Structure formats: structure tokens, C-alpha cells
Amino acid sequence: MSHVKIAVFPVAGLGTRFLPATKSIPKEMLPVVDRPLIEYAVEEARAAGIEEFVFVTSASKRAIEDHFGAAPELERQLRTARKTAALDAVSRSRLPEGSSTFLRQDNPRGLGHAVSLAARLVGDRPFAVLLPDDVIDAPGGCLRQMVAAHAETGGHMVATMTVDREATRAYGVLDVTERAGRIFHARGLVEKPAPEAAPSREAVVGRYILDPAIFRRLATLRPGAGGEIQLTDAISADCENLPVSGFGFDGARYDCGSVAGYLEANLAFALSRPELTGGTLDMMARHLARHQTRGAA
Ligand code: UTP
């Protein structure tokens, strides 16, 4: 039984790296193979025992709400046409009635600000935060692995992965005091450090289990890197009063907030689908050969 029952999905960002695709479509609705990014995150949360889903959205993101609701007309047509697989896919994506809440973040003032808007709904409970642009392929799901570890550590826990020193400038990085298996006990976090100043190579990726004390911290936090209210700053400031740890999950993470990472996720997930593996490999071989011929010419 999971002790974490509620999850927050911040999806109010502008998605500028995917313009013009994201001019009228939320980034979180871009598909990896045939499922939107947001569905991977919601599935992962459900596998971890989450029962309440809070989406922090913005004005242009109605499609996300529609995706998780019922689609009676579409379902009726698919049933009549006996398109069972398509009907299953549509019904599977629906969240139980009354389990989801959609909050508006009118100005994207940062991830920390987006999370702070869920304070009243979360109340005095530990809660998860999932960033759908990080798609994580992990046995049982990354969040499920974290929930089991968090039952031992309590406090704030962030998912981490080891990166090259040069790459630390793109991530929040843990200041590690001690390692116990997959758990990294930490005394702080530094947002996007220069490689020579990075306290470790353990980089934060988009999964968190947070103590509700984070809301008091976020309420008084000043804007940090990029002029935004940074979630990592709030977690780091809480190190004085709470255990803070990283969890080196077992799995592969794809940065679908970047175009290159998004393309890789599509390839990896296509290759893992038996009905698509052969065709994808053929396609890759063809393109590789064409690319090499062009290079040699
Ligand atoms: P990103 O900075 O990666 O997303 O935020 P973005 O702003 O949409 O993307 P680019 O850089 O312009 O391409 C990480 C996550 O936090 C959410 C985003 O929606 C994304 O899921 N976020 C960020 C918010 O909900 N509100 C914010 O104010 C900032």
C-alpha cells in the first residue's frame, strides 16, 4: 500500500523549444509513438498507487483535460465499428470520475510557483510531482520505486541520474553526504552549476516526493535562476529541517522537453513494441545507409 496518494503534474510551461508545434497544441499532448507525453506520466503515477491527480495548466491547455475525460461519442462509434483495440486505448486513458483537478497558473512564474498552487488540495500529506517532459522507462515505474524508498527516508526525495560533469550545467545537482544503495543523502541542491562548481554528478530529473512543508518554503521564496521560483531552491532550503535525498532509479530517462530527447524516446519506444521493432530497425538501417552515402559523396 502506497503512503503517497496524490500527485501534481505541472503542465503550464510555454514549451518554447517545440514551437511552432506547440503554438496551439500543449507540449504534453505531443505523442511518443501513439500516446501523448502526459499519459506516460499519469500511467506511471497510477502504477505507484496515486489516486488523486492535480494538473497545473494554463489557458491554452484544454486538450489535456479532455484527454483524461470520457469521450462518449467516439467510444460509441468505435463500439459500433467493433474497433476493440482502439476502444480499449481510449477507455484506458480515462481517469476515474472525480479523481482529477485542473488548476490554472496564469503566468508561468516557474516550477516552484506551479507546485505551490496545489497547496490547498494537497493539505498535510506527502505528495508526488511528475514532469511529463521526462519520460522514464523503468521496471514497475520510476515513481513506484521511489515510493518504496521514501517509506524509509521520509522528507523530500528527488529522482536522480548520474551525468557527465560537463552536463551538470543543465540540471539541478545534489550535494551528496552519503550513499546507501540507490539512496543519496544530501545537504543541498544547486541549480544548474558550472561543471567545476558542481557538488556531484547526481542530477535531478522530473520526479519528486515532497513533504507538505515545501509549501511554507515556496510561499516565501524569492525568484532564483532565470527569474523563476525554483522548486530545487525550496527543497535545498528545507535541508536544515528535513531529510533530503536523491533516488538513483533503475531505468532509462528521455528528455522529451528537448527535440533530440523526444526523437530518441520515439525510437526507443517504437523498438520496444514487438509489432514495430522490425519496421523501425529497417527504417533506421535505410536512413543510416543513405546518410553515410551522402557523407561519402
Ligand atoms: P520547462 O521549463 O522544461 O518547460 O519546465 P517549458 O517552459 O514548457 O519548456 P520550454 O523550455 O519553454 O521549451 C518543466 C516543467 O514545469 C512546467 C512545464 O510545463 C514543464 O512540465 N512548468 C514550468 C509550469 O507548469 N509552470 C512554470 O511556470 C514553469
Side-chain angles (χ1 to χ4, degrees), residues 2-25:
S2 167
H3 63 292
V4 185
K5 296 282 180 217
I6 181 162
V8 178
F9 301 84
V11 291
L14 297 176
T16 52
R17 282 170 288 173
F18 278 89
L19 283 169
T22 48
K23 189 175 165 194
S24 61
I25 296 169

PDB file of all heavy atoms in Angstrom, residues 2-25:
ATOM      1  N   SER A   2       0.606   2.153  -0.946  1.00  0.00           N
ATOM      2  CA  SER A   2       1.418   3.365  -1.042  1.00  0.00           C
ATOM      3  C   SER A   2       0.988   4.400   0.006  1.00  0.00           C
ATOM      4  O   SER A   2      -0.194   4.558   0.283  1.00  0.00           O
ATOM      5  CB  SER A   2       1.238   3.952  -2.447  1.00  0.00           C
ATOM      6  OG  SER A   2       1.758   5.250  -2.475  1.00  0.00           O
ATOM      7  N   HIS A   3       1.951   5.095   0.604  1.00  0.00           N
ATOM      8  CA  HIS A   3       1.618   6.170   1.542  1.00  0.00           C
ATOM      9  C   HIS A   3       1.496   7.504   0.795  1.00  0.00           C
ATOM     10  O   HIS A   3       1.219   8.521   1.406  1.00  0.00           O
ATOM     11  CB  HIS A   3       2.667   6.267   2.651  1.00  0.00           C
ATOM     12  CG  HIS A   3       4.045   6.620   2.136  1.00  0.00           C
ATOM     13  ND1 HIS A   3       4.795   5.760   1.361  1.00  0.00           N
ATOM     14  CD2 HIS A   3       4.791   7.741   2.273  1.00  0.00           C
ATOM     15  CE1 HIS A   3       5.944   6.351   1.051  1.00  0.00           C
ATOM     16  NE2 HIS A   3       5.962   7.548   1.592  1.00  0.00           N
ATOM     17  N   VAL A   4       1.737   7.493  -0.522  1.00  0.00           N
ATOM     18  CA  VAL A   4       1.616   8.721  -1.330  1.00  0.00           C
ATOM     19  C   VAL A   4       0.418   8.533  -2.266  1.00  0.00           C
ATOM     20  O   VAL A   4       0.426   7.658  -3.130  1.00  0.00           O
ATOM     21  CB  VAL A   4       2.906   8.981  -2.147  1.00  0.00           C
ATOM     22  CG1 VAL A   4       2.826  10.308  -2.877  1.00  0.00           C
ATOM     23  CG2 VAL A   4       4.134   8.926  -1.260  1.00  0.00           C
ATOM     24  N   LYS A   5      -0.610   9.351  -2.069  1.00  0.00           N
ATOM     25  CA  LYS A   5      -1.872   9.131  -2.794  1.00  0.00           C
ATOM     26  C   LYS A   5      -2.198  10.224  -3.805  1.00  0.00           C
ATOM     27  O   LYS A   5      -3.131  10.100  -4.588  1.00  0.00           O
ATOM     28  CB  LYS A   5      -3.037   9.083  -1.776  1.00  0.00           C
ATOM     29  CG  LYS A   5      -2.947   7.924  -0.804  1.00  0.00           C
ATOM     30  CD  LYS A   5      -3.411   6.676  -1.503  1.00  0.00           C
ATOM     31  CE  LYS A   5      -3.350   5.467  -0.612  1.00  0.00           C
ATOM     32  NZ  LYS A   5      -2.944   4.280  -1.363  1.00  0.00           N
ATOM     33  N   ILE A   6      -1.467  11.329  -3.721  1.00  0.00           N
ATOM     34  CA  ILE A   6      -1.824  12.472  -4.574  1.00  0.00           C
ATOM     35  C   ILE A   6      -0.600  12.928  -5.365  1.00  0.00           C
ATOM     36  O   ILE A   6       0.516  12.944  -4.827  1.00  0.00           O
ATOM     37  CB  ILE A   6      -2.446  13.609  -3.721  1.00  0.00           C
ATOM     38  CG1 ILE A   6      -2.847  14.810  -4.597  1.00  0.00           C
ATOM     39  CG2 ILE A   6      -1.527  14.077  -2.587  1.00  0.00           C
ATOM     40  CD1 ILE A   6      -3.839  15.753  -3.928  1.00  0.00           C
ATOM     41  N   ALA A   7      -0.810  13.260  -6.631  1.00  0.00           N
ATOM     42  CA  ALA A   7       0.302  13.698  -7.484  1.00  0.00           C
ATOM     43  C   ALA A   7      -0.061  14.991  -8.202  1.00  0.00           C
ATOM     44  O   ALA A   7      -1.212  15.213  -8.575  1.00  0.00           O
ATOM     45  CB  ALA A   7       0.643  12.624  -8.510  1.00  0.00           C
ATOM     46  N   VAL A   8       0.961  15.829  -8.380  1.00  0.00           N
ATOM     47  CA  VAL A   8       0.806  17.103  -9.085  1.00  0.00           C
ATOM     48  C   VAL A   8       1.565  17.016 -10.407  1.00  0.00           C
ATOM     49  O   VAL A   8       2.721  16.570 -10.434  1.00  0.00           O
ATOM     50  CB  VAL A   8       1.363  18.261  -8.217  1.00  0.00           C
ATOM     51  CG1 VAL A   8       1.258  19.592  -8.954  1.00  0.00           C
ATOM     52  CG2 VAL A   8       0.630  18.331  -6.870  1.00  0.00           C
ATOM     53  N   PHE A   9       0.917  17.429 -11.474  1.00  0.00           N
ATOM     54  CA  PHE A   9       1.523  17.437 -12.812  1.00  0.00           C
ATOM     55  C   PHE A   9       1.598  18.887 -13.287  1.00  0.00           C
ATOM     56  O   PHE A   9       0.571  19.441 -13.720  1.00  0.00           O
ATOM     57  CB  PHE A   9       0.678  16.624 -13.797  1.00  0.00           C
ATOM     58  CG  PHE A   9       0.498  15.185 -13.399  1.00  0.00           C
ATOM     59  CD1 PHE A   9      -0.501  14.819 -12.503  1.00  0.00           C
ATOM     60  CD2 PHE A   9       1.331  14.202 -13.900  1.00  0.00           C
ATOM     61  CE1 PHE A   9      -0.661  13.499 -12.118  1.00  0.00           C
ATOM     62  CE2 PHE A   9       1.183  12.867 -13.523  1.00  0.00           C
ATOM     63  CZ  PHE A   9       0.180  12.522 -12.629  1.00  0.00           C
ATOM     64  N   PRO A  10       2.766  19.528 -13.183  1.00  0.00           N
ATOM     65  CA  PRO A  10       2.861  20.917 -13.667  1.00  0.00           C
ATOM     66  C   PRO A  10       2.973  20.916 -15.195  1.00  0.00           C
ATOM     67  O   PRO A  10       3.930  20.397 -15.747  1.00  0.00           O
ATOM     68  CB  PRO A  10       4.163  21.428 -13.017  1.00  0.00           C
ATOM     69  CG  PRO A  10       4.577  20.355 -12.038  1.00  0.00           C
ATOM     70  CD  PRO A  10       3.995  19.079 -12.555  1.00  0.00           C
ATOM     71  N   VAL A  11       1.971  21.483 -15.841  1.00  0.00           N
ATOM     72  CA  VAL A  11       1.948  21.468 -17.312  1.00  0.00           C
ATOM     73  C   VAL A  11       1.607  22.845 -17.876  1.00  0.00           C
ATOM     74  O   VAL A  11       0.981  22.959 -18.932  1.00  0.00           O
ATOM     75  CB  VAL A  11       0.957  20.391 -17.856  1.00  0.00           C
ATOM     76  CG1 VAL A  11       1.481  18.997 -17.575  1.00  0.00           C
ATOM     77  CG2 VAL A  11      -0.443  20.530 -17.249  1.00  0.00           C
ATOM     78  N   ALA A  12       2.038  23.884 -17.151  1.00  0.00           N
ATOM     79  CA  ALA A  12       1.674  25.237 -17.576  1.00  0.00           C
ATOM     80  C   ALA A  12       2.792  25.946 -18.337  1.00  0.00           C
ATOM     81  O   ALA A  12       2.644  27.105 -18.709  1.00  0.00           O
ATOM     82  CB  ALA A  12       1.261  26.070 -16.362  1.00  0.00           C
ATOM     83  N   GLY A  13       3.916  25.249 -18.569  1.00  0.00           N
ATOM     84  CA  GLY A  13       5.052  25.878 -19.269  1.00  0.00           C
ATOM     85  C   GLY A  13       4.698  26.221 -20.706  1.00  0.00           C
ATOM     86  O   GLY A  13       3.706  25.732 -21.262  1.00  0.00           O
ATOM     87  N   LEU A  14       5.521  27.046 -21.332  1.00  0.00           N
ATOM     88  CA  LEU A  14       5.227  27.528 -22.688  1.00  0.00           C
ATOM     89  C   LEU A  14       5.667  26.558 -23.788  1.00  0.00           C
ATOM     90  O   LEU A  14       5.210  26.654 -24.918  1.00  0.00           O
ATOM     91  CB  LEU A  14       5.909  28.886 -22.918  1.00  0.00           C
ATOM     92  CG  LEU A  14       5.432  30.030 -22.024  1.00  0.00           C
ATOM     93  CD1 LEU A  14       6.260  31.293 -22.297  1.00  0.00           C
ATOM     94  CD2 LEU A  14       3.943  30.311 -22.242  1.00  0.00           C
ATOM     95  N   GLY A  15       6.582  25.656 -23.466  1.00  0.00           N
ATOM     96  CA  GLY A  15       7.049  24.686 -24.460  1.00  0.00           C
ATOM     97  C   GLY A  15       7.710  25.347 -25.649  1.00  0.00           C
ATOM     98  O   GLY A  15       7.525  24.929 -26.797  1.00  0.00           O
ATOM     99  N   THR A  16       8.522  26.381 -25.392  1.00  0.00           N
ATOM    100  CA  THR A  16       9.077  27.176 -26.499  1.00  0.00           C
ATOM    101  C   THR A  16      10.027  26.366 -27.382  1.00  0.00           C
ATOM    102  O   THR A  16      10.177  26.687 -28.564  1.00  0.00           O
ATOM    103  CB  THR A  16       9.847  28.405 -25.964  1.00  0.00           C
ATOM    104  OG1 THR A  16      10.788  27.954 -24.991  1.00  0.00           O
ATOM    105  CG2 THR A  16       8.921  29.416 -25.342  1.00  0.00           C
ATOM    106  N   ARG A  17      10.635  25.311 -26.805  1.00  0.00           N
ATOM    107  CA  ARG A  17      11.591  24.549 -27.631  1.00  0.00           C
ATOM    108  C   ARG A  17      10.901  23.745 -28.718  1.00  0.00           C
ATOM    109  O   ARG A  17      11.556  23.193 -29.594  1.00  0.00           O
ATOM    110  CB  ARG A  17      12.436  23.638 -26.728  1.00  0.00           C
ATOM    111  CG  ARG A  17      13.534  24.394 -25.996  1.00  0.00           C
ATOM    112  CD  ARG A  17      14.201  23.562 -24.938  1.00  0.00           C
ATOM    113  NE  ARG A  17      13.329  23.360 -23.783  1.00  0.00           N
ATOM    114  CZ  ARG A  17      13.619  22.557 -22.759  1.00  0.00           C
ATOM    115  NH1 ARG A  17      14.742  21.873 -22.782  1.00  0.00           N
ATOM    116  NH2 ARG A  17      12.793  22.433 -21.737  1.00  0.00           N
ATOM    117  N   PHE A  18       9.575  23.650 -28.649  1.00  0.00           N
ATOM    118  CA  PHE A  18       8.853  22.880 -29.671  1.00  0.00           C
ATOM    119  C   PHE A  18       7.999  23.754 -30.583  1.00  0.00           C
ATOM    120  O   PHE A  18       7.170  23.239 -31.331  1.00  0.00           O
ATOM    121  CB  PHE A  18       7.989  21.794 -29.019  1.00  0.00           C
ATOM    122  CG  PHE A  18       8.775  20.568 -28.687  1.00  0.00           C
ATOM    123  CD1 PHE A  18       9.401  20.447 -27.464  1.00  0.00           C
ATOM    124  CD2 PHE A  18       8.937  19.546 -29.611  1.00  0.00           C
ATOM    125  CE1 PHE A  18      10.144  19.329 -27.150  1.00  0.00           C
ATOM    126  CE2 PHE A  18       9.684  18.420 -29.319  1.00  0.00           C
ATOM    127  CZ  PHE A  18      10.288  18.307 -28.085  1.00  0.00           C
ATOM    128  N   LEU A  19       8.209  25.067 -30.508  1.00  0.00           N
ATOM    129  CA  LEU A  19       7.458  25.927 -31.433  1.00  0.00           C
ATOM    130  C   LEU A  19       7.936  25.683 -32.863  1.00  0.00           C
ATOM    131  O   LEU A  19       9.119  25.414 -33.058  1.00  0.00           O
ATOM    132  CB  LEU A  19       7.668  27.403 -31.046  1.00  0.00           C
ATOM    133  CG  LEU A  19       6.860  27.857 -29.824  1.00  0.00           C
ATOM    134  CD1 LEU A  19       7.316  29.227 -29.353  1.00  0.00           C
ATOM    135  CD2 LEU A  19       5.356  27.862 -30.146  1.00  0.00           C
ATOM    136  N   PRO A  20       7.092  25.719 -33.877  1.00  0.00           N
ATOM    137  CA  PRO A  20       5.694  26.119 -33.797  1.00  0.00           C
ATOM    138  C   PRO A  20       4.725  24.996 -33.428  1.00  0.00           C
ATOM    139  O   PRO A  20       3.529  25.231 -33.331  1.00  0.00           O
ATOM    140  CB  PRO A  20       5.403  26.611 -35.221  1.00  0.00           C
ATOM    141  CG  PRO A  20       6.267  25.743 -36.077  1.00  0.00           C
ATOM    142  CD  PRO A  20       7.515  25.493 -35.275  1.00  0.00           C
ATOM    143  N   ALA A  21       5.236  23.742 -33.203  1.00  0.00           N
ATOM    144  CA  ALA A  21       4.301  22.645 -32.915  1.00  0.00           C
ATOM    145  C   ALA A  21       3.423  22.969 -31.713  1.00  0.00           C
ATOM    146  O   ALA A  21       2.250  22.595 -31.670  1.00  0.00           O
ATOM    147  CB  ALA A  21       5.091  21.358 -32.669  1.00  0.00           C
ATOM    148  N   THR A  22       3.996  23.696 -30.742  1.00  0.00           N
ATOM    149  CA  THR A  22       3.261  23.945 -29.502  1.00  0.00           C
ATOM    150  C   THR A  22       2.524  25.289 -29.494  1.00  0.00           C
ATOM    151  O   THR A  22       2.130  25.761 -28.439  1.00  0.00           O
ATOM    152  CB  THR A  22       4.244  23.863 -28.316  1.00  0.00           C
ATOM    153  OG1 THR A  22       5.403  24.649 -28.646  1.00  0.00           O
ATOM    154  CG2 THR A  22       4.669  22.448 -28.035  1.00  0.00           C
ATOM    155  N   LYS A  23       2.353  25.854 -30.676  1.00  0.00           N
ATOM    156  CA  LYS A  23       1.621  27.131 -30.747  1.00  0.00           C
ATOM    157  C   LYS A  23       0.162  26.914 -30.325  1.00  0.00           C
ATOM    158  O   LYS A  23      -0.405  27.692 -29.571  1.00  0.00           O
ATOM    159  CB  LYS A  23       1.694  27.649 -32.184  1.00  0.00           C
ATOM    160  CG  LYS A  23       1.174  29.047 -32.356  1.00  0.00           C
ATOM    161  CD  LYS A  23       1.410  29.499 -33.796  1.00  0.00           C
ATOM    162  CE  LYS A  23       0.593  30.741 -34.114  1.00  0.00           C
ATOM    163  NZ  LYS A  23       0.553  30.990 -35.554  1.00  0.00           N
ATOM    164  N   SER A  24      -0.439  25.840 -30.815  1.00  0.00           N
ATOM    165  CA  SER A  24      -1.842  25.596 -30.456  1.00  0.00           C
ATOM    166  C   SER A  24      -2.055  24.237 -29.791  1.00  0.00           C
ATOM    167  O   SER A  24      -3.149  23.919 -29.368  1.00  0.00           O
ATOM    168  CB  SER A  24      -2.729  25.708 -31.695  1.00  0.00           C
ATOM    169  OG  SER A  24      -2.333  24.741 -32.641  1.00  0.00           O
ATOM    170  N   ILE A  25      -0.988  23.428 -29.703  1.00  0.00           N
ATOM    171  CA  ILE A  25      -1.108  22.112 -29.045  1.00  0.00           C
ATOM    172  C   ILE A  25      -0.220  22.121 -27.809  1.00  0.00           C
ATOM    173  O   ILE A  25       0.958  22.477 -27.910  1.00  0.00           O
ATOM    174  CB  ILE A  25      -0.623  20.980 -29.987  1.00  0.00           C
ATOM    175  CG1 ILE A  25      -1.525  20.892 -31.207  1.00  0.00           C
ATOM    176  CG2 ILE A  25      -0.556  19.631 -29.276  1.00  0.00           C
ATOM    177  CD1 ILE A  25      -0.958  19.994 -32.280  1.00  0.00           C
TER     178      ILE A  25
END
